[in-house]
Amino acid sequence: MNEPGENLPKTKYRWPWFAAAAVVLAIVLAVVWMTFAVKKVERESDFSAPLPSSAPTR
């Protein structure tokens, strides 16, 4: 004989999809943010730029 709970439909949860989407969005935003931060630091510490002279020229 069938058990009483055997014919019940499986519950389909939606929250794991929202949690997974939040994690993926966080990773994408972190990569974009770090890309801009790295470019800013590279611009600020540009090693090929000429150094300012220490003595003023006349």
Short mmCIF file of all heavy atoms in Angstrom, two decimals:
data_model
loop_
_atom_site.label_atom_id
_atom_site.label_comp_id
_atom_site.label_asym_id
_atom_site.label_seq_id
_atom_site.Cartn_x
_atom_site.Cartn_y
_atom_site.Cartn_z
N MET A 1 0.83 -1.19 0.00
CA MET A 1 0.00 0.00 0.00
C MET A 1 0.87 1.26 0.00
O MET A 1 2.02 1.24 0.43
CB MET A 1 -0.88 0.02 1.25
CG MET A 1 -1.98 -0.97 1.25
SD MET A 1 -3.23 -0.32 0.19
CE MET A 1 -4.27 -1.71 0.04
N ASN A 2 0.29 2.31 -0.46
CA ASN A 2 1.00 3.59 -0.50
C ASN A 2 1.02 4.24 0.86
O ASN A 2 0.05 4.17 1.62
CB ASN A 2 0.31 4.54 -1.49
CG ASN A 2 0.50 4.08 -2.92
OD1 ASN A 2 1.41 3.32 -3.21
ND2 ASN A 2 -0.38 4.54 -3.78
N GLU A 3 2.11 4.89 1.14
CA GLU A 3 2.23 5.66 2.37
C GLU A 3 1.41 6.94 2.20
O GLU A 3 1.23 7.44 1.09
CB GLU A 3 3.69 6.01 2.64
CG GLU A 3 4.56 4.81 2.97
CD GLU A 3 4.20 4.22 4.32
OE1 GLU A 3 3.91 4.97 5.26
OE2 GLU A 3 4.20 2.98 4.42
N PRO A 4 0.95 7.53 3.28
CA PRO A 4 0.11 8.74 3.17
C PRO A 4 0.84 9.93 2.54
O PRO A 4 0.23 10.71 1.83
CB PRO A 4 -0.28 9.07 4.61
CG PRO A 4 0.03 7.86 5.40
CD PRO A 4 1.00 7.04 4.64
N GLY A 5 2.12 10.08 2.75
CA GLY A 5 2.84 11.24 2.23
C GLY A 5 3.51 11.00 0.89
O GLY A 5 4.23 11.86 0.39
N GLU A 6 3.30 9.87 0.28
CA GLU A 6 4.00 9.53 -0.96
C GLU A 6 3.51 10.32 -2.17
O GLU A 6 4.27 10.63 -3.07
CB GLU A 6 3.84 8.04 -1.25
CG GLU A 6 5.05 7.24 -0.90
CD GLU A 6 4.86 5.78 -1.27
OE1 GLU A 6 4.41 5.50 -2.38
OE2 GLU A 6 5.17 4.94 -0.41
N ASN A 7 2.26 10.64 -2.24
CA ASN A 7 1.69 11.28 -3.41
C ASN A 7 1.74 12.80 -3.37
O ASN A 7 1.23 13.45 -4.27
CB ASN A 7 0.24 10.82 -3.61
CG ASN A 7 0.17 9.34 -3.94
OD1 ASN A 7 1.12 8.78 -4.48
ND2 ASN A 7 -0.94 8.72 -3.60
N LEU A 8 2.31 13.36 -2.32
CA LEU A 8 2.39 14.82 -2.22
C LEU A 8 3.40 15.36 -3.22
O LEU A 8 4.47 14.77 -3.41
CB LEU A 8 2.81 15.23 -0.81
CG LEU A 8 1.82 14.90 0.31
CD1 LEU A 8 2.40 15.28 1.65
CD2 LEU A 8 0.51 15.65 0.07
N PRO A 9 3.09 16.47 -3.88
CA PRO A 9 4.07 17.06 -4.82
C PRO A 9 5.26 17.65 -4.07
O PRO A 9 5.13 18.11 -2.94
CB PRO A 9 3.27 18.15 -5.54
CG PRO A 9 2.17 18.49 -4.60
CD PRO A 9 1.86 17.25 -3.83
N LYS A 10 6.42 17.60 -4.71
CA LYS A 10 7.62 18.16 -4.08
C LYS A 10 7.52 19.67 -4.03
O LYS A 10 7.09 20.30 -4.99
CB LYS A 10 8.86 17.77 -4.87
CG LYS A 10 9.58 16.60 -4.30
CD LYS A 10 10.94 16.53 -4.92
CE LYS A 10 11.85 15.83 -3.93
NZ LYS A 10 13.12 15.50 -4.47
N THR A 11 7.93 20.24 -2.92
CA THR A 11 7.92 21.69 -2.78
C THR A 11 9.08 22.27 -3.57
O THR A 11 10.21 21.81 -3.44
CB THR A 11 8.05 22.08 -1.30
OG1 THR A 11 7.02 21.42 -0.57
CG2 THR A 11 7.91 23.56 -1.11
N LYS A 12 8.78 23.28 -4.39
CA LYS A 12 9.84 23.95 -5.17
C LYS A 12 10.16 25.26 -4.49
O LYS A 12 9.35 26.18 -4.48
CB LYS A 12 9.37 24.17 -6.59
CG LYS A 12 9.04 22.87 -7.26
CD LYS A 12 9.04 23.00 -8.74
CE LYS A 12 8.63 21.65 -9.29
NZ LYS A 12 9.22 21.25 -10.47
N TYR A 13 11.35 25.33 -3.92
CA TYR A 13 11.78 26.53 -3.22
C TYR A 13 12.38 27.53 -4.19
O TYR A 13 13.12 27.18 -5.10
CB TYR A 13 12.81 26.18 -2.15
CG TYR A 13 12.23 25.32 -1.05
CD1 TYR A 13 12.53 23.97 -0.97
CD2 TYR A 13 11.41 25.88 -0.09
CE1 TYR A 13 12.00 23.19 0.04
CE2 TYR A 13 10.88 25.11 0.92
CZ TYR A 13 11.18 23.76 0.99
OH TYR A 13 10.66 23.00 1.98
N ARG A 14 12.08 28.80 -4.00
CA ARG A 14 12.63 29.86 -4.84
C ARG A 14 13.79 30.58 -4.16
O ARG A 14 14.59 31.19 -4.84
CB ARG A 14 11.55 30.87 -5.18
CG ARG A 14 10.52 30.32 -6.11
CD ARG A 14 9.59 31.39 -6.58
NE ARG A 14 8.56 30.82 -7.43
CZ ARG A 14 7.40 31.35 -7.66
NH1 ARG A 14 7.11 32.50 -7.10
NH2 ARG A 14 6.53 30.76 -8.43
N TRP A 15 13.87 30.53 -2.85
CA TRP A 15 14.89 31.31 -2.16
C TRP A 15 16.31 30.90 -2.53
O TRP A 15 17.20 31.77 -2.55
CB TRP A 15 14.69 31.28 -0.63
CG TRP A 15 14.92 29.95 0.01
CD1 TRP A 15 14.01 29.01 0.31
CD2 TRP A 15 16.18 29.43 0.44
NE1 TRP A 15 14.60 27.93 0.88
CE2 TRP A 15 15.94 28.15 0.99
CE3 TRP A 15 17.49 29.91 0.43
CZ2 TRP A 15 16.96 27.35 1.50
CZ3 TRP A 15 18.50 29.12 0.94
CH2 TRP A 15 18.23 27.86 1.47
N PRO A 16 16.61 29.64 -2.85
CA PRO A 16 18.00 29.34 -3.24
C PRO A 16 18.41 30.07 -4.52
O PRO A 16 19.57 30.45 -4.68
CB PRO A 16 18.01 27.83 -3.44
CG PRO A 16 16.89 27.32 -2.62
CD PRO A 16 15.85 28.38 -2.69
N TRP A 17 17.46 30.28 -5.43
CA TRP A 17 17.78 31.00 -6.66
C TRP A 17 18.10 32.46 -6.36
O TRP A 17 19.01 33.05 -6.95
CB TRP A 17 16.62 30.92 -7.65
CG TRP A 17 16.44 29.54 -8.18
CD1 TRP A 17 15.50 28.62 -7.81
CD2 TRP A 17 17.27 28.89 -9.16
NE1 TRP A 17 15.68 27.45 -8.50
CE2 TRP A 17 16.75 27.59 -9.34
CE3 TRP A 17 18.37 29.30 -9.89
CZ2 TRP A 17 17.34 26.70 -10.23
CZ3 TRP A 17 18.93 28.40 -10.79
CH2 TRP A 17 18.42 27.12 -10.95
N PHE A 18 17.34 33.06 -5.43
CA PHE A 18 17.63 34.44 -5.04
C PHE A 18 18.98 34.53 -4.32
O PHE A 18 19.75 35.47 -4.54
CB PHE A 18 16.52 35.00 -4.13
CG PHE A 18 15.24 35.27 -4.87
CD1 PHE A 18 14.09 34.56 -4.57
CD2 PHE A 18 15.19 36.22 -5.87
CE1 PHE A 18 12.91 34.81 -5.25
CE2 PHE A 18 14.01 36.49 -6.56
CZ PHE A 18 12.87 35.78 -6.25
N ALA A 19 19.29 33.57 -3.48
CA ALA A 19 20.57 33.56 -2.78
C ALA A 19 21.72 33.39 -3.77
O ALA A 19 22.75 34.08 -3.67
CB ALA A 19 20.59 32.46 -1.73
N ALA A 20 21.57 32.49 -4.73
CA ALA A 20 22.61 32.28 -5.73
C ALA A 20 22.79 33.53 -6.60
O ALA A 20 23.92 33.92 -6.92
CB ALA A 20 22.26 31.08 -6.60
N ALA A 21 21.69 34.18 -6.96
CA ALA A 21 21.78 35.41 -7.76
C ALA A 21 22.48 36.51 -6.97
O ALA A 21 23.28 37.27 -7.53
CB ALA A 21 20.39 35.85 -8.18
N ALA A 22 22.22 36.60 -5.68
CA ALA A 22 22.88 37.61 -4.84
C ALA A 22 24.38 37.34 -4.75
O ALA A 22 25.19 38.28 -4.81
CB ALA A 22 22.25 37.62 -3.44
N VAL A 23 24.78 36.10 -4.63
CA VAL A 23 26.20 35.76 -4.56
C VAL A 23 26.90 36.09 -5.88
O VAL A 23 27.98 36.68 -5.89
CB VAL A 23 26.39 34.27 -4.19
CG1 VAL A 23 27.82 33.83 -4.38
CG2 VAL A 23 25.93 34.03 -2.75
N VAL A 24 26.27 35.72 -6.99
CA VAL A 24 26.86 36.00 -8.31
C VAL A 24 26.96 37.51 -8.52
O VAL A 24 27.99 38.01 -9.00
CB VAL A 24 26.05 35.33 -9.43
CG1 VAL A 24 26.47 35.81 -10.80
CG2 VAL A 24 26.18 33.82 -9.32
N LEU A 25 25.92 38.25 -8.17
CA LEU A 25 25.94 39.71 -8.31
C LEU A 25 27.03 40.32 -7.45
O LEU A 25 27.74 41.23 -7.88
CB LEU A 25 24.58 40.29 -7.95
CG LEU A 25 24.44 41.79 -8.07
CD1 LEU A 25 24.61 42.23 -9.52
CD2 LEU A 25 23.10 42.24 -7.52
N ALA A 26 27.21 39.82 -6.24
CA ALA A 26 28.26 40.34 -5.36
C ALA A 26 29.65 40.09 -5.95
O ALA A 26 30.52 40.96 -5.89
CB ALA A 26 28.15 39.69 -3.98
N ILE A 27 29.86 38.93 -6.53
CA ILE A 27 31.16 38.62 -7.14
C ILE A 27 31.41 39.52 -8.33
O ILE A 27 32.51 40.07 -8.48
CB ILE A 27 31.22 37.13 -7.53
CG1 ILE A 27 31.25 36.26 -6.27
CG2 ILE A 27 32.42 36.85 -8.40
CD1 ILE A 27 31.10 34.78 -6.53
N VAL A 28 30.41 39.71 -9.18
CA VAL A 28 30.57 40.57 -10.35
C VAL A 28 30.86 42.01 -9.94
O VAL A 28 31.76 42.66 -10.48
CB VAL A 28 29.32 40.49 -11.26
CG1 VAL A 28 29.32 41.58 -12.32
CG2 VAL A 28 29.22 39.13 -11.89
N LEU A 29 30.13 42.52 -8.96
CA LEU A 29 30.37 43.88 -8.49
C LEU A 29 31.74 44.03 -7.86
O LEU A 29 32.40 45.07 -8.03
CB LEU A 29 29.28 44.30 -7.50
CG LEU A 29 27.90 44.54 -8.10
CD1 LEU A 29 26.89 44.85 -7.00
CD2 LEU A 29 27.94 45.67 -9.12
N ALA A 30 32.21 43.02 -7.14
CA ALA A 30 33.54 43.07 -6.54
C ALA A 30 34.62 43.12 -7.62
O ALA A 30 35.59 43.87 -7.50
CB ALA A 30 33.75 41.88 -5.61
N VAL A 31 34.45 42.33 -8.68
CA VAL A 31 35.43 42.33 -9.77
C VAL A 31 35.46 43.69 -10.46
O VAL A 31 36.53 44.24 -10.73
CB VAL A 31 35.12 41.19 -10.77
CG1 VAL A 31 35.92 41.34 -12.04
CG2 VAL A 31 35.39 39.84 -10.12
N VAL A 32 34.29 44.25 -10.74
CA VAL A 32 34.23 45.56 -11.40
C VAL A 32 34.85 46.63 -10.50
O VAL A 32 35.64 47.47 -10.96
CB VAL A 32 32.77 45.91 -11.76
CG1 VAL A 32 32.64 47.35 -12.21
CG2 VAL A 32 32.26 44.96 -12.83
N TRP A 33 34.52 46.61 -9.22
CA TRP A 33 35.04 47.60 -8.29
C TRP A 33 36.56 47.50 -8.18
O TRP A 33 37.27 48.51 -8.21
CB TRP A 33 34.39 47.39 -6.92
CG TRP A 33 34.90 48.29 -5.84
CD1 TRP A 33 35.03 49.64 -5.88
CD2 TRP A 33 35.37 47.88 -4.55
NE1 TRP A 33 35.54 50.10 -4.70
CE2 TRP A 33 35.75 49.05 -3.87
CE3 TRP A 33 35.48 46.66 -3.92
CZ2 TRP A 33 36.25 49.00 -2.57
CZ3 TRP A 33 35.97 46.62 -2.63
CH2 TRP A 33 36.34 47.79 -1.97
N MET A 34 37.09 46.28 -8.10
CA MET A 34 38.53 46.10 -7.99
C MET A 34 39.23 46.52 -9.28
O MET A 34 40.35 47.04 -9.24
CB MET A 34 38.87 44.65 -7.65
CG MET A 34 38.54 44.29 -6.22
SD MET A 34 39.31 45.37 -5.00
CE MET A 34 41.02 45.05 -5.30
N THR A 35 38.59 46.31 -10.43
CA THR A 35 39.18 46.74 -11.69
C THR A 35 39.38 48.25 -11.71
O THR A 35 40.45 48.74 -12.07
CB THR A 35 38.29 46.31 -12.88
OG1 THR A 35 38.15 44.89 -12.85
CG2 THR A 35 38.87 46.74 -14.20
N PHE A 36 38.36 48.98 -11.29
CA PHE A 36 38.49 50.44 -11.25
C PHE A 36 39.51 50.88 -10.20
O PHE A 36 40.26 51.82 -10.42
CB PHE A 36 37.13 51.10 -10.97
CG PHE A 36 36.24 51.12 -12.18
CD1 PHE A 36 35.06 50.40 -12.19
CD2 PHE A 36 36.57 51.87 -13.30
CE1 PHE A 36 34.24 50.41 -13.30
CE2 PHE A 36 35.75 51.90 -14.42
CZ PHE A 36 34.57 51.17 -14.41
N ALA A 37 39.56 50.21 -9.07
CA ALA A 37 40.51 50.56 -8.02
C ALA A 37 41.95 50.31 -8.47
O ALA A 37 42.84 51.13 -8.22
CB ALA A 37 40.21 49.75 -6.75
N VAL A 38 42.18 49.22 -9.17
CA VAL A 38 43.53 48.91 -9.65
C VAL A 38 43.96 49.93 -10.70
O VAL A 38 45.09 50.41 -10.68
CB VAL A 38 43.58 47.47 -10.22
CG1 VAL A 38 44.83 47.23 -11.02
CG2 VAL A 38 43.48 46.47 -9.08
N LYS A 39 43.05 50.29 -11.59
CA LYS A 39 43.39 51.30 -12.61
C LYS A 39 43.71 52.64 -11.98
O LYS A 39 44.61 53.35 -12.42
CB LYS A 39 42.25 51.43 -13.62
CG LYS A 39 42.17 50.28 -14.57
CD LYS A 39 41.09 50.47 -15.60
CE LYS A 39 41.03 49.27 -16.51
NZ LYS A 39 39.98 49.40 -17.52
N LYS A 40 42.98 53.00 -10.92
CA LYS A 40 43.24 54.26 -10.23
C LYS A 40 44.62 54.24 -9.58
O LYS A 40 45.38 55.21 -9.68
CB LYS A 40 42.17 54.51 -9.17
CG LYS A 40 42.35 55.80 -8.43
CD LYS A 40 41.26 55.99 -7.40
CE LYS A 40 41.52 57.24 -6.61
NZ LYS A 40 40.61 57.37 -5.47
N VAL A 41 44.97 53.14 -8.93
CA VAL A 41 46.28 53.04 -8.29
C VAL A 41 47.39 53.05 -9.34
O VAL A 41 48.43 53.68 -9.13
CB VAL A 41 46.34 51.76 -7.42
CG1 VAL A 41 47.76 51.48 -6.97
CG2 VAL A 41 45.42 51.90 -6.23
N GLU A 42 47.18 52.40 -10.46
CA GLU A 42 48.19 52.41 -11.53
C GLU A 42 48.40 53.81 -12.07
O GLU A 42 49.51 54.20 -12.38
CB GLU A 42 47.77 51.46 -12.65
CG GLU A 42 47.97 50.01 -12.32
CD GLU A 42 47.49 49.10 -13.43
OE1 GLU A 42 46.81 49.58 -14.36
OE2 GLU A 42 47.80 47.90 -13.35
N ARG A 43 47.32 54.58 -12.18
CA ARG A 43 47.45 55.96 -12.65
C ARG A 43 48.21 56.81 -11.64
O ARG A 43 49.02 57.65 -12.00
CB ARG A 43 46.07 56.58 -12.87
CG ARG A 43 45.58 56.51 -14.27
CD ARG A 43 44.31 57.28 -14.37
NE ARG A 43 43.51 56.87 -13.22
CZ ARG A 43 42.19 56.88 -13.15
NH1 ARG A 43 41.51 57.34 -14.13
NH2 ARG A 43 41.55 56.46 -12.10
N GLU A 44 47.91 56.61 -10.34
CA GLU A 44 48.55 57.41 -9.31
C GLU A 44 50.03 57.09 -9.17
O GLU A 44 50.83 57.96 -8.85
CB GLU A 44 47.85 57.19 -7.96
CG GLU A 44 46.48 57.81 -7.90
CD GLU A 44 45.76 57.49 -6.60
OE1 GLU A 44 46.29 56.71 -5.80
OE2 GLU A 44 44.66 58.01 -6.42
N SER A 45 50.42 55.86 -9.39
CA SER A 45 51.82 55.48 -9.24
C SER A 45 52.40 55.09 -10.59
O SER A 45 52.95 54.01 -10.76
CB SER A 45 51.94 54.33 -8.26
OG SER A 45 51.25 53.20 -8.74
N ASP A 46 52.26 55.98 -11.55
CA ASP A 46 52.77 55.73 -12.90
C ASP A 46 54.29 55.87 -12.87
O ASP A 46 54.83 56.95 -12.70
CB ASP A 46 52.15 56.71 -13.89
CG ASP A 46 52.49 56.37 -15.32
OD1 ASP A 46 53.04 55.27 -15.54
OD2 ASP A 46 52.19 57.19 -16.19
N PHE A 47 54.99 54.76 -13.05
CA PHE A 47 56.45 54.76 -12.95
C PHE A 47 57.11 55.36 -14.18
O PHE A 47 58.27 55.77 -14.13
CB PHE A 47 56.96 53.34 -12.72
CG PHE A 47 56.55 52.78 -11.39
CD1 PHE A 47 55.71 51.68 -11.31
CD2 PHE A 47 56.99 53.35 -10.21
CE1 PHE A 47 55.32 51.17 -10.10
CE2 PHE A 47 56.61 52.84 -8.99
CZ PHE A 47 55.78 51.76 -8.92
N SER A 48 56.42 55.44 -15.27
CA SER A 48 57.03 56.00 -16.47
C SER A 48 56.92 57.52 -16.52
O SER A 48 57.51 58.15 -17.39
CB SER A 48 56.37 55.39 -17.72
OG SER A 48 55.02 55.77 -17.76
N ALA A 49 56.20 58.10 -15.59
CA ALA A 49 56.06 59.54 -15.57
C ALA A 49 57.37 60.17 -15.07
O ALA A 49 58.04 59.61 -14.20
CB ALA A 49 54.91 59.95 -14.67
N PRO A 50 57.73 61.35 -15.61
CA PRO A 50 58.97 61.99 -15.14
C PRO A 50 58.82 62.47 -13.70
O PRO A 50 57.76 62.90 -13.28
CB PRO A 50 59.14 63.17 -16.10
CG PRO A 50 57.79 63.41 -16.67
CD PRO A 50 57.07 62.09 -16.65
N LEU A 51 59.91 62.35 -12.95
CA LEU A 51 59.89 62.79 -11.56
C LEU A 51 60.00 64.30 -11.51
O LEU A 51 60.72 64.93 -12.31
CB LEU A 51 61.07 62.16 -10.80
CG LEU A 51 61.02 60.65 -10.65
CD1 LEU A 51 62.31 60.15 -10.02
CD2 LEU A 51 59.84 60.26 -9.79
N PRO A 52 59.34 64.93 -10.57
CA PRO A 52 59.47 66.39 -10.44
C PRO A 52 60.88 66.72 -9.94
O PRO A 52 61.46 66.00 -9.12
CB PRO A 52 58.41 66.76 -9.43
CG PRO A 52 58.10 65.52 -8.70
CD PRO A 52 58.39 64.38 -9.63
N SER A 53 61.44 67.79 -10.44
CA SER A 53 62.80 68.16 -10.02
C SER A 53 62.76 68.71 -8.61
O SER A 53 61.82 69.37 -8.20
CB SER A 53 63.39 69.19 -10.98
OG SER A 53 62.58 70.36 -10.97
N SER A 54 63.83 68.45 -7.85
CA SER A 54 63.86 68.88 -6.46
C SER A 54 64.27 70.34 -6.32
O SER A 54 63.88 71.01 -5.39
CB SER A 54 64.79 67.98 -5.64
OG SER A 54 66.08 68.03 -6.21
N ALA A 55 65.08 70.83 -7.25
CA ALA A 55 65.52 72.23 -7.20
C ALA A 55 64.74 73.02 -8.27
O ALA A 55 64.61 72.59 -9.40
CB ALA A 55 67.02 72.32 -7.47
N PRO A 56 64.26 74.19 -7.87
CA PRO A 56 63.55 75.01 -8.87
C PRO A 56 64.51 75.55 -9.93
O PRO A 56 65.64 75.91 -9.62
CB PRO A 56 62.93 76.12 -8.06
CG PRO A 56 63.71 76.19 -6.80
CD PRO A 56 64.27 74.81 -6.58
N THR A 57 64.08 75.56 -11.16
CA THR A 57 64.93 76.08 -12.25
C THR A 57 64.60 77.54 -12.49
O THR A 57 63.48 77.98 -12.32
CB THR A 57 64.71 75.28 -13.55
OG1 THR A 57 63.31 75.35 -13.86
CG2 THR A 57 65.11 73.83 -13.36
N ARG A 58 65.67 78.32 -12.92
CA ARG A 58 65.44 79.75 -13.16
C ARG A 58 65.37 80.04 -14.60
O ARG A 58 65.82 79.61 -15.50
CB ARG A 58 66.56 80.55 -12.54
CG ARG A 58 66.52 80.46 -11.05
CD ARG A 58 67.58 81.33 -10.46
NE ARG A 58 67.72 80.92 -9.06
CZ ARG A 58 68.50 81.51 -8.24
NH1 ARG A 58 69.24 82.51 -8.61
NH2 ARG A 58 68.57 81.11 -7.03
#
